PDB file of all heavy atoms in Angstrom:
ATOM      1  N   TYR A 492      -0.221 -18.166 -12.337  1.00 98.00           N
ATOM      2  CA  TYR A 492       0.956 -17.319 -12.585  1.00 98.00           C
ATOM      3  C   TYR A 492       1.987 -18.180 -13.290  1.00 98.00           C
ATOM      4  O   TYR A 492       2.458 -19.165 -12.722  1.00 98.00           O
ATOM      5  CB  TYR A 492       1.505 -16.774 -11.250  1.00 98.00           C
ATOM      6  CG  TYR A 492       0.440 -16.018 -10.503  1.00 98.00           C
ATOM      7  CD1 TYR A 492      -0.521 -16.696  -9.748  1.00 98.00           C
ATOM      8  CD2 TYR A 492       0.330 -14.639 -10.619  1.00 98.00           C
ATOM      9  CE1 TYR A 492      -1.548 -16.016  -9.116  1.00 98.00           C
ATOM     10  CE2 TYR A 492      -0.691 -13.950  -9.990  1.00 98.00           C
ATOM     11  CZ  TYR A 492      -1.623 -14.643  -9.244  1.00 98.00           C
ATOM     12  OH  TYR A 492      -2.637 -13.957  -8.622  1.00 98.00           O
ATOM     13  N   GLY A 552      -0.766 -18.854   2.247  1.00 98.00           N
ATOM     14  CA  GLY A 552      -1.260 -18.050   1.137  1.00 98.00           C
ATOM     15  C   GLY A 552      -1.597 -16.646   1.586  1.00 98.00           C
ATOM     16  O   GLY A 552      -1.480 -16.309   2.774  1.00 98.00           O
ATOM     17  N   GLY A 553      -2.019 -15.833   0.627  1.00 98.00           N
ATOM     18  CA  GLY A 553      -2.291 -14.430   0.917  1.00 98.00           C
ATOM     19  C   GLY A 553      -3.340 -14.248   1.993  1.00 98.00           C
ATOM     20  O   GLY A 553      -3.191 -13.414   2.893  1.00 98.00           O
ATOM     21  N   THR A 554      -4.403 -15.013   1.900  1.00 98.00           N
ATOM     22  CA  THR A 554      -5.473 -14.853   2.886  1.00 98.00           C
ATOM     23  C   THR A 554      -4.957 -15.139   4.286  1.00 98.00           C
ATOM     24  O   THR A 554      -5.241 -14.392   5.233  1.00 98.00           O
ATOM     25  CB  THR A 554      -6.662 -15.766   2.533  1.00 98.00           C
ATOM     26  OG1 THR A 554      -7.154 -15.351   1.252  1.00 98.00           O
ATOM     27  CG2 THR A 554      -7.765 -15.677   3.559  1.00 98.00           C
ATOM     28  N   CYS A 557      -2.963 -12.212   5.549  1.00 99.00           N
ATOM     29  CA  CYS A 557      -3.831 -11.090   5.945  1.00 99.00           C
ATOM     30  C   CYS A 557      -4.548 -11.402   7.262  1.00 99.00           C
ATOM     31  O   CYS A 557      -4.651 -10.540   8.148  1.00 99.00           O
ATOM     32  CB  CYS A 557      -4.841 -10.781   4.841  1.00 99.00           C
ATOM     33  SG  CYS A 557      -4.088 -10.274   3.274  1.00 99.00           S
ATOM     34  N   HIS A 583      -8.600  -6.222  -0.249  1.00 98.00           N
ATOM     35  CA  HIS A 583      -8.982  -7.606  -0.563  1.00 98.00           C
ATOM     36  C   HIS A 583      -9.995  -8.138   0.458  1.00 98.00           C
ATOM     37  O   HIS A 583      -9.929  -7.808   1.654  1.00 98.00           O
ATOM     38  CB  HIS A 583      -7.737  -8.497  -0.568  1.00 98.00           C
ATOM     39  CG  HIS A 583      -7.973  -9.815  -1.235  1.00 98.00           C
ATOM     40  ND1 HIS A 583      -8.547 -10.885  -0.592  1.00 98.00           N
ATOM     41  CD2 HIS A 583      -7.739 -10.229  -2.502  1.00 98.00           C
ATOM     42  CE1 HIS A 583      -8.654 -11.906  -1.432  1.00 98.00           C
ATOM     43  NE2 HIS A 583      -8.161 -11.532  -2.614  1.00 98.00           N
ATOM     44  N   PRO A 630      -0.438  -3.686  -5.177  1.00 98.00           N
ATOM     45  CA  PRO A 630      -1.609  -2.883  -5.490  1.00 98.00           C
ATOM     46  C   PRO A 630      -2.862  -3.625  -5.067  1.00 98.00           C
ATOM     47  O   PRO A 630      -2.797  -4.770  -4.619  1.00 98.00           O
ATOM     48  CB  PRO A 630      -1.541  -2.816  -7.023  1.00 98.00           C
ATOM     49  CG  PRO A 630      -1.070  -4.191  -7.399  1.00 98.00           C
ATOM     50  CD  PRO A 630      -0.097  -4.576  -6.308  1.00 98.00           C
ATOM     51  N   TYR A 632      -6.181  -5.767  -5.778  1.00 98.00           N
ATOM     52  CA  TYR A 632      -6.426  -6.811  -6.778  1.00 98.00           C
ATOM     53  C   TYR A 632      -7.349  -6.294  -7.879  1.00 98.00           C
ATOM     54  O   TYR A 632      -7.079  -6.472  -9.069  1.00 98.00           O
ATOM     55  CB  TYR A 632      -7.080  -8.047  -6.125  1.00 98.00           C
ATOM     56  CG  TYR A 632      -7.350  -9.125  -7.147  1.00 98.00           C
ATOM     57  CD1 TYR A 632      -6.341 -10.001  -7.531  1.00 98.00           C
ATOM     58  CD2 TYR A 632      -8.580  -9.238  -7.775  1.00 98.00           C
ATOM     59  CE1 TYR A 632      -6.560 -10.971  -8.501  1.00 98.00           C
ATOM     60  CE2 TYR A 632      -8.806 -10.200  -8.745  1.00 98.00           C
ATOM     61  CZ  TYR A 632      -7.794 -11.061  -9.103  1.00 98.00           C
ATOM     62  OH  TYR A 632      -8.004 -12.004 -10.073  1.00 98.00           O
ATOM     63  N   ASP A 657      -0.804  -4.609   2.075  1.00 99.00           N
ATOM     64  CA  ASP A 657      -1.122  -5.869   1.410  1.00 99.00           C
ATOM     65  C   ASP A 657      -0.473  -5.863   0.027  1.00 99.00           C
ATOM     66  O   ASP A 657      -1.029  -5.344  -0.947  1.00 99.00           O
ATOM     67  CB  ASP A 657      -2.643  -6.042   1.309  1.00 99.00           C
ATOM     68  CG  ASP A 657      -3.005  -7.339   0.599  1.00 99.00           C
ATOM     69  OD1 ASP A 657      -2.080  -8.117   0.290  1.00 99.00           O
ATOM     70  OD2 ASP A 657      -4.206  -7.564   0.335  1.00 99.00           O
ATOM     71  N   CYS A 659       0.371  -8.688  -1.380  1.00 99.00           N
ATOM     72  CA  CYS A 659       0.285 -10.109  -1.733  1.00 99.00           C
ATOM     73  C   CYS A 659       0.547 -10.319  -3.215  1.00 99.00           C
ATOM     74  O   CYS A 659       1.261 -11.235  -3.617  1.00 99.00           O
ATOM     75  CB  CYS A 659      -1.105 -10.654  -1.377  1.00 99.00           C
ATOM     76  SG  CYS A 659      -1.279 -11.041   0.366  1.00 99.00           S
ATOM     77  N   ILE A 660      -0.038  -9.446  -4.036  1.00 98.00           N
ATOM     78  CA  ILE A 660       0.058  -9.699  -5.479  1.00 98.00           C
ATOM     79  C   ILE A 660       1.105  -8.818  -6.153  1.00 98.00           C
ATOM     80  O   ILE A 660       1.524  -9.111  -7.280  1.00 98.00           O
ATOM     81  CB  ILE A 660      -1.336  -9.541  -6.142  1.00 98.00           C
ATOM     82  CG1 ILE A 660      -1.403 -10.288  -7.473  1.00 98.00           C
ATOM     83  CG2 ILE A 660      -1.750  -8.103  -6.301  1.00 98.00           C
ATOM     84  CD1 ILE A 660      -2.794 -10.664  -7.910  1.00 98.00           C
ATOM     85  N   ASP A 687       2.913 -12.721  -1.534  1.00 99.00           N
ATOM     86  CA  ASP A 687       2.674 -14.138  -1.849  1.00 99.00           C
ATOM     87  C   ASP A 687       3.746 -14.685  -2.791  1.00 99.00           C
ATOM     88  O   ASP A 687       3.998 -14.113  -3.851  1.00 99.00           O
ATOM     89  CB  ASP A 687       1.304 -14.312  -2.516  1.00 99.00           C
ATOM     90  CG  ASP A 687       0.167 -13.965  -1.575  1.00 99.00           C
ATOM     91  OD1 ASP A 687       0.443 -13.697  -0.386  1.00 99.00           O
ATOM     92  OD2 ASP A 687      -0.981 -13.966  -2.038  1.00 99.00           O
ATOM     93  N   HIS A 689       3.345 -17.658  -4.099  1.00 98.00           N
ATOM     94  CA  HIS A 689       2.630 -18.418  -5.133  1.00 98.00           C
ATOM     95  C   HIS A 689       1.967 -17.515  -6.180  1.00 98.00           C
ATOM     96  O   HIS A 689       1.190 -17.993  -6.990  1.00 98.00           O
ATOM     97  CB  HIS A 689       1.651 -19.429  -4.532  1.00 98.00           C
ATOM     98  CG  HIS A 689       0.516 -18.860  -3.728  1.00 98.00           C
ATOM     99  ND1 HIS A 689      -0.179 -19.635  -2.821  1.00 98.00           N
ATOM    100  CD2 HIS A 689      -0.061 -17.648  -3.679  1.00 98.00           C
ATOM    101  CE1 HIS A 689      -1.136 -18.906  -2.262  1.00 98.00           C
ATOM    102  NE2 HIS A 689      -1.092 -17.708  -2.773  1.00 98.00           N
ATOM    103  N   LYS A 690       2.305 -16.239  -6.128  1.00 98.00           N
ATOM    104  CA  LYS A 690       1.843 -15.349  -7.207  1.00 98.00           C
ATOM    105  C   LYS A 690       3.077 -14.997  -8.056  1.00 98.00           C
ATOM    106  O   LYS A 690       3.583 -15.842  -8.786  1.00 98.00           O
ATOM    107  CB  LYS A 690       1.125 -14.130  -6.623  1.00 98.00           C
ATOM    108  CG  LYS A 690      -0.197 -14.535  -5.931  1.00 98.00           C
ATOM    109  CD  LYS A 690      -1.097 -13.372  -5.617  1.00 98.00           C
ATOM    110  CE  LYS A 690      -2.480 -13.827  -5.209  1.00 98.00           C
ATOM    111  NZ  LYS A 690      -2.591 -14.259  -3.812  1.00 98.00           N
TER     112      LYS A 690
HETATM  113  C1  LIG B1002      -3.962  -8.035  -2.838  1.00 94.17           C
HETATM  114  C2  LIG B1002      -4.334  -9.423  -2.454  1.00 94.17           C
HETATM  115  N1  LIG B1002      -4.431  -9.758  -1.159  1.00 94.17           N
HETATM  116  C3  LIG B1002      -4.753 -10.997  -0.749  1.00 94.17           C
HETATM  117  C4  LIG B1002      -5.010 -11.996  -1.674  1.00 94.17           C
HETATM  118  C5  LIG B1002      -5.421 -13.370  -1.192  1.00 94.17           C
HETATM  119  O1  LIG B1002      -4.467 -14.318  -1.599  1.00 94.17           O
HETATM  120  P1  LIG B1002      -4.755 -15.889  -1.615  1.00 94.17           P
HETATM  121  O2  LIG B1002      -5.721 -16.122  -2.741  1.00 94.17           O
HETATM  122  O3  LIG B1002      -3.403 -16.450  -1.863  1.00 94.17           O
HETATM  123  O4  LIG B1002      -5.315 -16.288  -0.312  1.00 94.17           O
HETATM  124  C6  LIG B1002      -4.934 -11.689  -3.038  1.00 94.17           C
HETATM  125  C7  LIG B1002      -5.246 -12.703  -4.054  1.00 94.17           C
HETATM  126  O5  LIG B1002      -5.324 -12.438  -5.227  1.00 94.17           O
HETATM  127  C8  LIG B1002      -4.583 -10.381  -3.438  1.00 94.17           C
HETATM  128  O6  LIG B1002      -4.501 -10.041  -4.727  1.00 94.17           O
END
Side-chain angles (χ1 to χ4, degrees):
Y492 303 81
T554 298
C557 298
H583 196 277
Y632 179 83
D657 179 5
C659 280
I660 202 157
D687 295 354
H689 63 200
K690 293 193 168 81

